[in-house]
Amino acid sequence: MSNLKSHGAAQPAGPSLPWWRVRMVWLVIAGPATVVVAGFVTLFIAMDGADPVLRVQPRAAGAAPAVQARNHAATGVRPAQGRGDDSPR
């Protein structure tokens, strides 16, 4: 008969370590733990440094052509003739 211990599955060469002593476990845990901590840091920054709400201020007369162009690009509707800077002179 053959000796099964010598030809069987490989056995560890020493006593097995508890899971918290294996370095690979900490490498696997460190990735998701870092993401969770970064998420909380981002949440804190977003809540603490939120931009204040600005009141709507009347636009300057020089901004009218830019606003008309933006509205035309968004809706496709051209402004009425005689309004703004695009009126014939």
Side-chain angles (χ1 to χ4, degrees), residues 35-88:
V35 172
V36 170
V37 169
F40 280 114
V41 169
T42 304
L43 178 67
F44 174 74
I45 291 171
M47 298 297 281
D48 188 47
D51 292 335
V53 177
L54 300 177
R55 294 183 193 162
V56 177
Q57 297 177 358
R59 296 190 180 268
V67 172
Q68 288 177 354
R70 182 200 65 205
N71 291 341
H72 172 66
T75 62
V77 177
R78 298 188 71 185
Q81 289 294 331
R83 296 180 64 179
D85 291 333
D86 63 338
S87 61

Side-chain angles (χ1 to χ4, degrees), residues 11-52:
Q11 297 292 325
S16 63
L17 297 172
W19 68 268
W20 62 86
R21 296 272 187 180
V22 179
R23 292 184 181 176
M24 186 60 133
V25 171
W26 292 110
L27 184 64
V28 170
I29 292 173
T34 303
V35 172
V36 170
V37 169
F40 280 114
V41 169
T42 304
L43 178 67
F44 174 74
I45 291 171
M47 298 297 281
D48 188 47
D51 292 335

